[in-house]
């Protein structure tokens, strides 16, 4: 609904509640308005039969149920006369009160009934069947029922219904008082409320721009979103003060004074041993220090010594596989078999997968229990397929759960460690410091650890630079693979990936090759070429099934070649509107049956059903999983996505968990491989025009890469090896703990 559309008001008494979600407050109910039954739909938490309601919204036409009233805002009003009060209490809206007891209460107190229930519960014990204890319980249930009304009325001018429900669930009847005292508490406690929204609310409530609470919230915001959001685990004190003062439009002296107080009270951590005088959020400081101390401690503890007969075991695998390991590969295998901690890094075609297979098989042959893990579902699936052993995402390995307030917790930890003798983690470049710290806390002393990744790929989306810092610390044994093996040398993808890594322009292969550069003189022509390749040229040459393995990858979400625009245009080209395909608009996005979509967060509670056998079910859908919308059900208000034969159903209110995936960003593609990658490159944003971004995009492809755009842009990206510095303290912390 457009903000410009005028809201209509309806009011009446709730006659029936057809459906209500306890979690989200989404409700379908009926009222009588102007002597006609009206169906209301929307977020209407705690609504009961008998409630008098005034609702504001718009009429909508449901394809199955017809005309409905979609509620944007609503207010409950107290039943005004004895008959209305009796109907309300008789509906069992209040715990412990049924029709008979309701009649006795109303007969005793008349129009003062609700006043007694709310403010004078002791008087209820005068009614037959109500003890003093029950009187207090009835009063508490009544106040809880009407408390949400006040919350909705107060917050309706600031937030939507769903957010208001979260606020009410967090603080109950005290919510208004809590938030009035300090609106910025919403940033810390309520999922989905950022500094800007809380700041706007604070201004409307009259809080000064130089108030302590506002400066504190501004410092936290800069550290959480401007700092951690850009990969930093800390900011130098001077930079933090400067950035915060600019954001808040207050003097740096005022910001510095609050910062000193916050550090003194451990609300923020100032690490004065760091040359930058580093200021951390407490959770990121704990994550870095715990990760450093744990990995150093684990590297010093070798409980099991060397594996007997390892040379013979390696020779057996070489004979079985018909290969001979290169010296660097053997060195990596020996390190993994003998060292408590081993780091393995190398680019495509250098044999990392071959080494993982060898290590896992040897561990298995000597009776060691090994856990295999990777940061994403696709990466763990690929790891499992290449080794023949089961692999999990790190989140699943650590048995991650979401708390009711959307915060992450891991069931595997120091008190409940992983039950294994060795752990191998692939794609470590994608792992941020928070996840790495949680992983290390779940490792039992004596467990062998093998950490694998390509140090030239993009770093993690989250804070930290774990693989880079762990390698560069010099504390742990690092095995670097540089040799490209014969089979891989036959691929122009692998050769060009290494050329890019050396700062050399990629060279296109011949017509029958696997690496193509399609230069275009303008942005619009680049865009049209991408669309033509997907819609016409590739399907014409390789068949329509080529689209199943094709992925467009972009530098960024925004701009003319960003994923937001590409997804709109590719949806129109590859899956246009049709009377045979149902649609659902969610916020600004139209989802259509047969659309390609991606899950954008790990959801371990999502249930899936096998597309081939409804009796086969399981749990979990993961960040980066790509599927196709196979059904949109207006009646059930849900849509179903087919993830490689696993059907996952999403209620409409949970569509924020998916987004279109005709095109994805390079960051979103990490950990995945696709048969064909199309990468448009035309004057990318300067901060993204660097070597490791194009290198990461190219290395996502297994069979074919097509670069589309400007040759100059490609050259500039390859030549630019400058990477924005991330402020991280892990390297230094490793060295400090190593010396202790």
């Amino acid at each position: 609904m457009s903000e410009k559309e005028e809201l209509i008001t309806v009011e009446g008494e709730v006659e029936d509640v057809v459906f209500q979600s306890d979690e989200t407050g989404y409700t379908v109910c009926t009222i009588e308005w102007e002597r006609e039954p009206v169906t209301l739909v929307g977020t209407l938490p705690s609504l009961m039969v008998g409630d008098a309601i005034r609702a504001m919204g718009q009429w909508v036409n449901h394809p199955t149920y017809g005309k409905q009233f979609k509620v944007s805002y609503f207010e409950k009003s107290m039943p005004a006369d004895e008959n209305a009060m009796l109907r309300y209490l008789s509906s069992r809206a209040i715990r412990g009160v049924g029709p008979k007891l309701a009649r006795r209460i109303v007969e005793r107190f008349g129009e003062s009934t609700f006043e007694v229930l709310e403010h004078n519960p002791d008087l209820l014990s005068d009614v037959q069947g109500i003890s003093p204890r029950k009187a207090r319980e009835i009063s508490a249930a009544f106040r809880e029922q009407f408390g949400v009304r006040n919350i909705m009325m107060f917050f309706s001018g600031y937030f939507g219904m769903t957010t208001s429900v979260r606020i009410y669930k967090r603080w109950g009847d005290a919510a208004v008082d809590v938030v009035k005292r300090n609106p910025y508490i919403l940033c810390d406690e309520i999922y989905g409320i950022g500094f800007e929204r809380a700041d706007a609310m604070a201004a409307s409530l009259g809080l000064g721009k130089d108030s302590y609470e506002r400066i504190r919230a501004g410092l936290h915001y800069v550290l959480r979103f401007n700092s951690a959001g850009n990969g930093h685990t800390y900011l130098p004190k001077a930079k933090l003060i400067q950035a915060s003062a600019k954001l808040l439009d207050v003097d740096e002296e005022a910001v510095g004074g609050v910062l000193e107080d916050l550090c003194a009270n451990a609300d923020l951590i100032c690490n004065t041993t760091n040359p930058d005088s580093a200021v951390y959020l407490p959770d990121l400081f704990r994550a870095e220090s715990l990760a450093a101390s744990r990995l150093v401690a684990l590297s010093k503890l070798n409980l099991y010594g060397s594996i007997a007969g390892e040379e013979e075991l390696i020779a057996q695998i070489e004979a079985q596989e018909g290969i001979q390991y290169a010296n660097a590969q053997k060195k990596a295998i020996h390190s993994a078999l003998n060292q408590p901690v081993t780091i393995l890094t190398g680019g495509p075609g250098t044999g990392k997968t071959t080494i993982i297979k060898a290590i896992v098989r040897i561990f298995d042959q000597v009776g060691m229990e090994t856990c295999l893990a990777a940061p994403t579902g696709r990466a763990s699936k690929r790891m499992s397929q290449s080794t023949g052993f089961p692999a999990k995402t790190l989140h699943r390995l650590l048995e991650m759960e979401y708390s009711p307030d959307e915060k992450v917790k891991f069931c595997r930890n120091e008190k409940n460690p992983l039950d294994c003798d060795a752990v191998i983690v692939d794609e470590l470049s994608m792992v941020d410091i928070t996840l790495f710290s949680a992983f290390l806390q779940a490792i039992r002393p004596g467990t062998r650890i093998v950490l694998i990744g390509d140090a030239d790929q993009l770093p993690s989306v989250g804070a930290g630079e774990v693989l880079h810092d762990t390698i560069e610390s010099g504390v742990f044994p690092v095995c670097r693979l540089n040799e490209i093996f014969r089979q891989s040398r036959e691929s122009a993808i692998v050769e060009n990936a290494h050329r890019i890594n050396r700062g050399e322009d990629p060279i296109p292969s011949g017509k029958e090759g696997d690496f193509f550069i399609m230069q275009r003189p303008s942005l619009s022509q680049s865009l049209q070429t991408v669309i033509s390749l997907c819609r016409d040229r590739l399907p014409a040459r390789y068949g329509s099934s080529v689209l199943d393995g094709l992925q467009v990858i972009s530098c960024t979400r925004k701009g003319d070649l960003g994923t937001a625009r590409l997804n709109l245009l590719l949806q129109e080209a590859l899956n246009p509107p049709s009377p045979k395909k149902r649609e659902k608009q969610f916020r600004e996005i139209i989802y259509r049956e047969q659309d390609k979509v991606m899950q954008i967060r790990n959801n371990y509670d999502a249930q899936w059903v096998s597309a081939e056998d409804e009796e086969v079910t399981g749990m979990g859908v993961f960040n980066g999983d790509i599927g196709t919308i196979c059904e949109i059900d207006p009646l059930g208000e849900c849509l179903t996505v087919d993830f490689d034969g696993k059907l996952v159903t999403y209620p409409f209110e949970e569509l924020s968990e998916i987004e279109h995936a005709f095109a994805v960003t390079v960051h979103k593609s990490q950990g995945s491989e696709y048969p064909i990658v199309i990468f448009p490159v035309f004057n990318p944003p300067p901060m993204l025009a660097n070597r490791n971004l194009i290198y990461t995009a190219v290395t996502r492809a297994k069979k074919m890469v097509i670069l589309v755009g400007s040759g100059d842009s490609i050259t500039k990206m390859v030549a630019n090896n400058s990477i924005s510095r991330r402020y991280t303290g892990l390297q230094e912390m490793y060295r400090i703990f190593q010396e202790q």
Side-chain angles (χ1 to χ4, degrees), residues 377-396:
R378 286 196 162 225
S380 63
K381 183 178 179 180
R382 197 173 70 246
M383 195 179 187
S384 181
Q385 290 171 339
S386 64
T387 63
F389 287 81
K392 297 179 179 180
T393 65
L394 276 168
H395 293 86
R396 171 152 280 182

Side-chain angles (χ1 to χ4, degrees), residues 198-254:
D199 197 38
M201 183 180 191
S204 73
L205 293 173
L207 266 74
K209 72 175 187 178
D210 58 352
S211 68
Y212 182 92
E213 292 81 5
R214 183 170 186 263
I215 294 175
R216 176 196 176 274
L219 285 161
H220 275 258
Y221 174 77
V222 170
L223 282 171
R224 179 69 66 194
F225 295 101
N226 289 10
S227 174
N230 289 314
H232 308 301
T233 58
Y234 72 84
L235 276 183
K237 183 177 179 180
K239 286 184 177 290
L240 173 60
I241 291 174
Q242 185 180 36
S244 300
K246 184 176 180 181
L247 169 75
L248 299 168
D249 190 26
V250 297
D251 293 335
E252 290 188 13
E253 187 177 346

